[in-house]
Amino acid sequence: MVGSTEGSEEIGGEAPVERADRKPTAGGLAERVKRFFAPRPTAPEGDDATGEAATAEAATAGADAADGDIAEHGTVEDESVVASETDEQHDVPSVAEQTAVTVVLPVEPAGHTDDEAAPVRLDDALPDSGTVSVRGLTKSFGDTHAVDHLDLDVHAGSFYGIVGPNGAGKTTTLSMITGLLRPDEGTVTVNGIDVWSDPAAAKRTIGVLPDRLRVFDRLTGAQLLYYAGMLRGLTSGVVRSRVDDLATAFGLQDAMGRLVSDYSAGMVKKVSLAAAMIHSPRVLVLDEPFESVDPVSAARIVEILQSYVGNGGTVVLSSHSMDFIQRVCDHVAIIVEGQVLAAGPVEDVRGPVSLEERFLELAGGRQAAEGMEWLHSFSG
Ligand SMILES: Nc1ncnc2c1ncn2[C@@H]1O[C@H](COP(=O)(O)OP(=O)(O)OP(=O)(O)O)[C@@H](O)[C@H]1O
């Protein structure tokens, strides 16, 4: 019964078949996305589920999740990972405690019944600190200096791309920015909150798509999104409506009743991205959001993110696609060997050449494939 389709109809809203005829049109999608991210009125007390009732439902979902084999996903990487804080401080179901699984989302306190999930306003941020401000961030793994005194400033309303070669330190940096990995040195503030002094408060304002996804994949897509919304303290009614909107926006309507473990890699990415957005955070931090995602879905996601930024949200993402960064992002940082070699508006960073050329220049240029002549011997 763990994560069954039957369960999804109780926990995740409507049966998927009822959504099948609601495929978005281009204009319709933009409008729905705009509505989704627009400020909403406070939900009245005693909405169709109180915070307690909603939490109880989340507990059911959590118990179902814990009842399966999700423990196989691994252990919490860092003591600061959100799951343990969630259970301790906000009295939501202790899935992580029972299963030692990393919850991929920062949390909103349970019992927070407002439709507006993130209490921090953009104008609460220090005017000169930016929405995300990183100073001297450093992390080593043994002898590997993954991030080396890195500075970064991302201002509100930016669509900020981070690029760098494999192993440059992008994921390590984003993990420290989102409170998932403790730095050796340095500071990170998000919306004016010091992430490592007050991680719970900072995480409430952030939506995260981590690189190494660990999701509760014995839940259906609908259950996973519902659970993510419950963890954020949204009411049951709000979550149901947002799950529906997100399923439509990400083209996952027909998959909502299926186990996430049966999803393709791209579908897992999309449902995880939807989970990162469900509480309408002020900042979205996305590690390679387009990896494994098909071009049609990628275009749809870009549209969603552009609308989000257009309505005042901030996106920080890593990508290996120079074309994407050049086309969509307004700012970019090139990270090499744990340090920022260039950062600023895309036009300034690339100068008279393409971003790809600039990147190759900074990241070591084109190297001839010397010593590989054996590959052309075609001995087999
Ligand atoms: N948990 C870890 N233990 C040991 N080394 C690690 C760990 N995480 C990252 N590293 C190392 O830190 C360096 C930076 O890794 P990171 O994943 O941040 O790079 P990246 O820029 O995201 O790379 P990619 O583009 O390939 O995803 C690499 O040398 C990597 O091997």
Side-chain angles (χ1 to χ4, degrees):
M1 191 15 221
V2 177
S4 68
T5 305
E6 190 184 337
S8 78
E9 289 174 14
E10 294 164 18
I11 295 171
E14 304 149 43
V17 68
E18 292 174 14
R19 298 195 186 98
D21 58 351
R22 300 184 54 194
K23 293 208 164 54
T25 59
L29 174 62
E31 194 47 46
R32 286 171 76 85
V33 169
K34 203 167 175 182
R35 265 191 285 122
F36 182 75
F37 288 112
R40 300 177 186 212
T42 302
E45 287 294 332
D47 194 8
D48 69 353
T50 64
E52 280 162 5
T55 306
E57 272 190 81
T60 310
D64 277 354
D67 189 26
D69 57 1
I70 55 177
E72 73 197 18
H73 290 265
T75 56
V76 173
E77 189 180 4
D78 187 274
E79 71 277 12
S80 62
V81 167
V82 185
S84 54
E85 291 173 9
T86 308
D87 300 334
E88 250 171 51
Q89 298 171 5
H90 307 311
D91 196 27
V92 295
S94 181
V95 175
E97 227 170 58
Q98 295 171 57
T99 62
V101 168
T102 302
V103 172
V104 300
L105 297 160
V107 294
E108 195 67 22
H112 173 79
T113 54
D114 291 352
D115 194 345
E116 188 88 79
V120 175
R121 295 157 51 89
L122 289 175
D123 53 10
D124 289 339
L126 298 175
D128 58 351
S129 69
T131 287
V132 178
S133 179
V134 173
R135 290 289 173 273
L137 204 61
T138 300
K139 182 77 186 179
S140 295
F141 300 101
D143 293 336
T144 304
H145 302 297
V147 177
D148 185 8
H149 298 93
L150 184 143
D151 296 336
L152 200 66
D153 281 302
V154 179
H155 293 282
S158 293
F159 206 132
Y160 204 108
I162 294 180
V163 299
N166 292 132
K170 302 179 295 296
T171 293
T172 307
T173 299
L174 294 182
S175 300
M176 292 190 283
I177 288 175
T178 51
L180 295 172
L181 181 70
R182 189 177 293 279
D184 296 337
E185 284 177 47
T187 57
V188 181
T189 58
V190 175
N191 291 315
I193 304 165
D194 188 316
V195 171
W196 287 99
S197 300
D198 194 354
K203 286 168 181 172
R204 271 175 224 133
T205 73
I206 310 173
V208 187
L209 178 73
D211 177 40
R212 295 176 186 95
L213 289 175
R214 294 181 197 132
V215 293
F216 295 126
D217 65 359
R218 298 298 293 172
L219 298 177
T220 65
Q223 287 171 329
L224 181 70
L225 293 182
Y226 188 85
Y227 190 66
M230 289 292 100
L231 281 175
R232 295 297 191 160
L234 302 177
T235 64
S236 181
V238 168
V239 174
R240 282 175 199 280
S241 131
R242 290 190 181 189
V243 168
D244 199 27
D245 284 350
L246 287 164
T248 306
F250 284 91
L252 288 170
Q253 307 98 307
D254 297 340
M256 281 288 100
R258 288 166 52 199
L259 293 181
V260 174
S261 58
D262 294 341
Y263 281 13
S264 70
M267 290 164 76
V268 173
K269 199 71 134 181
K270 287 196 283 183
V271 80
S272 301
L273 190 49
M277 292 178 166
I278 198 158
H279 61 301
S280 180
R282 291 287 169 183
V283 180
L284 278 171
V285 180
L286 313 174
D287 204 346
E288 299 193 28
F290 301 103
E291 189 185 49
S292 310
V293 173
D294 71 77
V296 173
S297 298
R300 190 178 285 182
I301 292 169
V302 167
E303 192 183 348
I304 292 168
L305 294 178
Q306 283 176 324
S307 176
Y308 170 75
V309 168
N311 282 283
T314 304
V315 172
V316 183
L317 58 78
S318 68
S319 173
H320 286 293
S321 169
M322 298 300 140
D323 173 59
F324 167 79
I325 301 275
Q326 193 167 304
R327 212 165 24 87
V328 175
C329 293
D330 46 55
H331 286 70
V332 66
I334 299 178
I335 296 181
V336 178
E337 295 179 357
Q339 295 182 328
V340 175
L341 296 194
V346 173
E347 294 303 310
D348 294 354
V349 169
R350 60 183 273 222
V353 297
S354 70
L355 186 62
E356 182 165 357
E357 283 174 89
R358 181 78 174 124
F359 173 78
L360 290 171
E361 203 178 286
L362 290 170
R366 299 170 200 275
Q367 289 178 352
E370 288 173 10
M372 290 286 288
E373 290 75 14
W374 54 264
L375 182 62
H376 316 139
S377 61
F378 306 119
S379 54

